């Protein structure tokens, strides 16, 4: 493994200048290109279903089914992808995934038949399935200590910045009456995938994520054995619930409630996503300063309470439909929810990678990705079932209770992970299980 994290990556690194100065060269390469890489995804993400339905003329039900292929394929591929990362390294697997992404976006740009679109979206899903565990394993091999948590947080802010800018640019550029505008944004999405590919073939070509043949204590543990560890099991349940309550509602439950119950305009809903991006970009580094050196499980508890507050604000907006107060409530919901995201995103990936070793880092990150994708797939289903029969109040109540459940899981997790994995430099108690190897 290329141990470039080095000494000095500690809790004292909290300023922007000191953070950047503490990063190894490989970490700087990765971070400096994140926003550009994700700009292409932002160009296409909000408009893919519009492209399939309004430009290519596929019926709405078929278009929705085609869109689901990305998440379903990603979930299927994540497990094998994690194993391949541990065996062959993240670099090799990521290059394969990026190749699939480039091919998928290019094919989708010219897809005039549902079968062609299906193949394209499956290829995109393959990349989604391996990119999360692959890039997280790559980051963890380059950045160590408390700097790793800060890195995950800054990376999350830059991802949102790239996607947000891409979405704004795409909204001004695409025109359903001009199919070539959609062809252009998918080709740009394909082109932006060449950036991480160039990094992996150039400056990052020597970074290893897999354990070398001479490393001690090789691990053959599979997913079942990893998930039998209480810390991993509780963390995975927490991740799934957080995704079910959080991101699983962003593309379905939240917009549906805002339209059907709060009765706000589509313009307000679109503006709310801009508020989300702005809050994340503006607050993420300030939040990192406050949470560095604190127990990550306690940060998760605060996040759960913040999210519970956000859902109550949205519920209040539903009590005053088609009003200025409802619009303010919807916008406030997204702002408060985004604050919770800045607490969640630096902590959960850091815990997974601090529990993992070089022998199984790919599988740990694949479990994280699978829990995320599982919540993102099942969340919209539950929201649709509740809101379709007019149970808006029950929907909000379930979201709030789910948030409290996240907090409870975080407190259970706190008793089952080593202090170092929880973000505090305390020695492991004699009776506490050591971190898995």
């Amino acid at each position: 493994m290329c141990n470039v994290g080095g000494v000095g990556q500690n809790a004292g690194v909290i300023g922007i200048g000191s953070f950047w100065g503490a990063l190894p060269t490989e970490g700087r390469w990765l971070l400096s290109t994140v926003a550009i890489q994700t700009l292409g995804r932002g160009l296409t993400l909000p408009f893919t279903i519009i492209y399939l339905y309004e430009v290519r003329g596929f019926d709405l039900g078929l278009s929705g089914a085609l869109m689901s292929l990305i998440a379903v394929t990603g979930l299927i591929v994540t497990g094998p992808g994690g194993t391949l990362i541990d065996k062959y390294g993240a670099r090799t697997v990521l290059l394969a995934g990026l190749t699939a992404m480039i091919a998928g976006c290019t094919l989708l740009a010219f897809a005039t038949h549902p079968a062609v679109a299906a193949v394209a979206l499956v290829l995109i899903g393959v990349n989604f399935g391996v990119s999360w565990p692959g890039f997280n394993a790559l980051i963890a091999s380059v950045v160590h200590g408390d700097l790793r948590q800060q890195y995950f947080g800054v990376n999350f802010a830059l991802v949102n910045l790239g996607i947000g800018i891409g979405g704004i640019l795409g909204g001004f550029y695409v025109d359903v009456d001009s199919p070539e505008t959609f062809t252009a944004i998918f080709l740009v999405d394909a082109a932006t995938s060449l950036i991480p590919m160039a990094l992996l073939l150039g400056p990052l070509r020597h970074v290893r994520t897999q354990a070398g043949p001479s490393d001690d204590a090789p691990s053959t543990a599979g997913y079942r054995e990893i998930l039998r560890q209480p810390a991993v099991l509780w963390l995975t349940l927490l991740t799934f619930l957080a995704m079910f309550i959080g991101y699983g509602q962003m593309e379905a439950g939240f917009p549906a409630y805002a339209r059907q119950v709060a009765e706000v305009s589509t313009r307000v809903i679109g503006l709310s996503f801009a508020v989300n991006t702005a809050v994340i970009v503006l607050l993420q580094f300030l939040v990192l300063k406050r949470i560095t050196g604190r127990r990550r499980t306690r940060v998760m508890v605060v996040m759960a309470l913040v999210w519970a507050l956000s859902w109550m604000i949205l519920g209040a907006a539903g009590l005053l439909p088609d009003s200025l107060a409802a619009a303010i409530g919807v916008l406030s919901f997204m702002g408060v929810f985004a604050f919770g995201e800045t607490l969640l995103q630096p902590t959960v990936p850091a815990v997974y990678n601090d529990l993992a070793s070089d022998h199984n880092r790919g599988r740990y990150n694949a479990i994280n990705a699978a829990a995320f994708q599982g919540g993102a797939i099942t969340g919209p289903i539950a929201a649709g079932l509740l809101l379709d029969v007019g149970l808006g109040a029950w929907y909000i109540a379930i979201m709030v209770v789910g948030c409290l459940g996240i907090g409870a899981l975080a407190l259970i997790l706190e008793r089952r992970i080593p202090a170092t994995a929880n973000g505090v430099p305390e020695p492991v108690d004699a009776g506490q299980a050591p971190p898995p190897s």
Side-chain angles (χ1 to χ4, degrees):
M1 176 177 169
C2 183
N3 186 5
V4 292
V7 178
Q9 298 185 10
N10 51 50
V13 182
I14 55 176
I16 294 177
S18 57
F19 168 76
W20 185 257
L23 285 178
T25 302
E26 292 85 350
R28 294 178 188 176
W29 274 113
L30 276 171
L31 201 60
S32 62
T33 58
V34 166
I36 301 174
Q37 294 174 35
T38 55
L39 186 144
R41 194 67 200 134
L43 281 172
T44 60
L45 185 63
F47 307 109
T48 303
I49 194 165
I50 295 173
Y51 168 72
L52 296 174
Y53 176 52
E54 297 190 42
V55 177
R56 295 309 182 191
F58 308 153
D59 67 58
L60 190 57
L62 176 60
S63 298
L66 288 170
M67 286 292 295
S68 70
L69 289 175
I70 298 177
V72 172
T73 303
L75 185 60
I76 293 171
V77 168
T78 293
T83 302
L84 291 173
I85 289 167
D86 287 334
K87 186 173 183 180
Y88 299 108
R91 178 177 170 273
T92 300
V93 176
L94 284 170
L95 285 171
L98 289 166
T99 301
M101 182 69 176
I102 292 169
C105 289
T106 303
L107 192 60
L108 190 59
F110 301 99
T112 56
H113 191 279
V116 177
V119 173
L121 292 165
V122 165
L123 288 170
I124 293 172
V126 168
N127 178 64
F128 280 18
V130 301
S131 63
W132 187 330
F135 276 111
N136 275 5
L138 197 67
I139 290 167
S141 69
V142 169
V143 184
H144 302 271
D146 286 295
L147 192 63
R148 181 183 290 167
Q149 174 175 286
Q150 297 172 32
Y151 190 104
F152 280 124
V154 174
N155 183 77
F156 174 65
L158 291 174
V159 167
N160 276 271
L161 179 63
I163 291 176
I165 293 175
I168 293 170
L169 294 176
F172 281 108
Y173 176 70
V174 296
D175 182 354
V176 294
D177 295 321
S178 301
E180 65 273 11
T181 61
F182 286 86
T183 297
I185 63 172
F186 284 111
L187 292 178
V188 171
D189 196 4
T192 55
S193 295
L194 293 171
I195 298 171
M197 183 175 282
L199 289 179
L200 294 168
L201 293 172
L204 303 180
R205 64 186 181 278
H206 299 304
V207 176
R208 288 176 56 89
T209 58
Q210 75 275 33
S214 61
D215 290 350
D216 295 331
S219 172
T220 58
Y223 285 107
R224 184 176 299 179
E225 185 173 339
I226 293 173
L227 285 169
R228 282 175 179 166
Q229 300 173 50
V232 179
L233 179 60
W234 288 108
L235 180 60
T236 301
L237 289 174
L238 184 152
T239 303
F240 172 82
L241 184 57
M243 296 313 105
F244 180 92
I245 296 297
Y247 297 103
Q249 305 305 322
M250 288 303 100
E251 293 184 13
F254 159 67
Y257 184 91
R259 283 291 291 156
Q260 296 178 15
V261 183
E263 297 181 13
V264 301
S265 67
T266 54
R267 181 175 298 180
V268 169
I269 295 173
L271 183 58
S272 72
F273 281 93
V275 169
N276 180 271
T277 299
V279 169
I280 290 170
V281 172
L282 293 173
L283 291 187
Q284 184 65 84
F285 213 96
L286 295 175
V287 169
L288 287 170
K289 289 182 179 182
R290 299 301 300 269
I291 67 175
T292 298
R294 300 180 185 275
R295 292 182 184 273
R296 291 166 180 161
T297 47
R298 302 293 173 87
V299 175
M300 294 176 196
V301 170
V302 175
M303 181 278 298
L305 295 175
V306 169
W307 272 9
L309 174 61
S310 73
W311 285 110
M312 287 189 285
I313 291 172
L314 185 63
L319 299 176
L320 300 166
D322 192 21
S323 66
L324 177 60
I328 293 173
V330 168
L331 296 174
S332 300
F333 161 79
M334 268 300 212
V336 176
F337 184 89
F339 173 53
E341 291 181 78
T342 65
L343 296 166
L344 175 71
Q345 289 296 338
T347 51
V348 170
V351 174
Y352 273 105
N353 281 282
D354 284 352
L355 288 172
S357 73
D358 296 342
H359 301 281
N360 52 28
R361 195 172 303 283
R363 279 165 285 182
Y364 270 77
N365 281 292
I367 290 170
N368 179 21
F372 188 106
Q373 291 162 348
I377 291 171
T378 54
I381 296 173
L385 291 174
L386 289 167
L387 295 175
D388 189 50
V389 293
L391 297 178
W394 278 101
Y395 170 71
I396 295 295
I398 290 172
M399 295 299 109
V400 173
V401 171
C403 291
L404 299 179
I406 295 170
L409 288 172
L411 294 176
I412 294 173
L413 176 65
E414 184 172 303
R415 300 194 296 269
R416 288 165 171 80
I417 60 173
T420 51
N422 205 11
V424 289
E426 297 176 4
V428 178
D429 295 337
Q432 187 177 22
S437 60

